[in-house]
Amino acid sequence: MPQRTSDVMVHIGRPLGAGERERLEVALSINPGIRAVRGSPRAAQLLLIDFDPGVISALGVLRSFHALGLEARLVGM
């Protein structure tokens, strides 16, 4: 059975340095259902998250940011 995948764009409340952003990507990618975390070098406060909606919801993805102490909001799906 093929794996389902959805994308959500998340805006982080403050700019992150390269090292901090890399640590965030690793911390998020270990969550069940989150398949990939990608950022844009031109938009430091935006991340595109690929996730399995059968395992985690878009709101669950957002809560993962909050659990790490970051202010974040969904900006696109």
Side-chain angles (χ1 to χ4, degrees):
M1 185 159 102
Q3 295 180 345
R4 298 184 315 169
T5 322
S6 291
D7 297 317
V8 66
M9 181 77 62
V10 177
H11 179 269
I12 303 168
R14 62 179 176 82
L16 302 176
E20 190 176 21
R21 186 174 177 153
E22 185 177 314
R23 287 187 296 276
L24 172 62
E25 290 176 9
V26 170
L28 290 171
S29 65
I30 62 172
N31 284 301
I34 295 181
R35 304 222 184 275
V37 180
R38 295 186 305 261
S40 167
R42 293 181 290 176
Q45 289 177 262
L46 294 176
L47 291 173
L48 180 65
I49 313 296
D50 295 332
F51 66 99
D52 179 345
V55 178
I56 189 169
S57 66
L59 186 57
V61 170
L62 182 62
R63 287 181 180 142
S64 297
F65 282 84
H66 296 162
L68 294 169
L70 292 170
E71 178 185 331
R73 61 187 169 129
L74 300 177
V75 293
M77 297 174 73

